[in-house]
Amino acid sequence: GAVVSQHPSRVICKSGTSVKIECRSLDFQATTMFWYRQFPKQSLMLMATSNEGSKATYEQGVEKDKFLINHASLTLSTLTVTSAHPEDSSFYICSASASLQGSEKLFFGSGTQLSVL
Amino acid sequence: GQNIDQPTEMTATEGAIVQINCTYQTSGFNGLFWYQQHAGEAPTFLSYNVLDGLEEKGRFSSFLSRSKGYSYLLLKELQMKDSASYLCAVTDSNYQLIWGAGTKLIIKP
């Protein structure tokens, strides 16, 4: 199967600081990666689609200057939450698509629990 | 608009069988996924259906009817570790993934 590694798994930071989350596809090349956030007891919400070598496509309502996405290589995408505030506290998950057995499937990182004090 | 409906919560007994339903209305269809998510963890892939019919994988099976916009996830021989949220997601004509809100499954001894 395809493995997606996400780090860190948990981060606690002070309000106003920036936090970087890494998402790596370990055994396959991912031209497209996705970033989601999930609030407690709610569904996953797509934040942005990250394409290698080009600018990310953000969903409506997501501030691109606040959530910086960089997809510099076929195996690495990063999400930086800039000047984090308590309302940014959430569970952030990345995923990458891989073609397995003739169909596209999404494989998820383990997620990052961000707590902003 | 695009919409995916699944029950908010279900309760079942250890060793029993439970069926979690999912109905969808999307602009186009390119496959339906079921994911399992334990609290505080990322979703893990369970199944993928793009053609009508039943896909069986061990204790878990998934069914799809495209004409009815309907799918179900069937869990047999329930174990306590199956207590989790089960997410239904559909890929639309633009290959965007539309997520359901998830069904919280509670397993009782």
Side-chain angles (χ1 to χ4, degrees):
Chain A
V3 178
V4 176
S5 175
Q6 183 174 345
H7 294 281
S9 57
R10 177 177 289 272
V11 59
I12 301 172
C13 68
K14 293 182 179 179
S15 184
T17 60
S18 294
V19 174
K20 180 185 282 189
I21 303 170
E22 289 191 352
C23 181
R24 294 180 185 273
S25 56
L26 296 187
D27 51 1
F28 67 100
Q29 293 182 330
T31 54
T32 303
M33 288 186 175
F34 305 90
W35 287 96
Y36 302 82
R37 66 188 299 181
Q38 185 181 35
F39 292 105
K41 300 182 180 180
Q42 295 187 22
S43 177
L44 290 173
M45 289 173 40
L46 179 65
M47 299 176 65
T49 301
S50 168
N51 295 296
E52 185 268 337
S54 64
K55 292 183 179 180
T57 303
Y58 289 82
E59 295 300 301
Q60 192 171 11
V62 178
E63 300 176 58
K64 58 182 67 176
D65 293 332
K66 181 168 186 62
F67 299 99
L68 300 179
I69 291 173
N70 185 290
H71 195 158
S73 76
L74 286 171
T75 59
L76 174 64
S77 177
T78 61
L79 168 69
T80 301
V81 183
T82 61
S83 187
H85 288 93
E87 58 264 30
D88 298 323
S89 297
S90 184
F91 192 55
Y92 292 85
I93 307 172
C94 71
S95 70
S97 61
S99 183
L100 289 182
Q101 299 173 337
S103 62
E104 288 289 321
K105 293 184 174 66
L106 277 183
F107 294 89
F108 288 85
S110 54
T112 299
Q113 184 65 53
L114 171 63
S115 299
V116 184
L117 305 178
Chain B
Q2 310 212 89
N3 193 48
I4 297 192
D5 290 315
Q6 51 182 131
T8 304
E9 187 173 298
M10 298 182 71
T11 302
T13 305
E14 190 177 14
I17 299 173
V18 71
Q19 178 175 311
I20 303 174
N21 296 323
C22 171
T23 58
Y24 62 90
Q25 301 91 38
T26 57
S27 54
F29 177 84
N30 277 301
L32 184 144
F33 297 84
W34 282 97
Y35 286 88
Q36 180 192 60
Q37 185 180 24
H38 286 100
E41 298 180 10
T44 54
F45 171 79
L46 289 178
S47 67
Y48 172 71
N49 294 69
V50 66
L51 299 176
D52 290 349
L54 186 68
E55 296 272 347
E56 297 187 76
K57 192 183 296 183
R59 292 190 300 115
F60 294 3
S61 302
S62 56
F63 171 83
L64 174 67
S65 169
R66 288 172 296 171
S67 62
K68 295 181 180 178
Y70 167 69
S71 172
Y72 67 73
L73 180 69
L74 191 70
L75 292 77
K76 303 176 185 177
E77 301 170 15
L78 286 171
Q79 301 174 11
M80 297 303 292
K81 67 178 182 179
D82 297 329
S83 292
S85 286
Y86 291 85
L87 303 170
C88 173
V90 171
T91 307
D92 69 9
S93 56
N94 294 319
Y95 289 92
Q96 297 292 306
L97 204 60
I98 315 299
W99 291 90
T103 299
K104 182 178 180 181
L105 178 62
I106 300 169
I107 309 296
K108 295 186 174 180

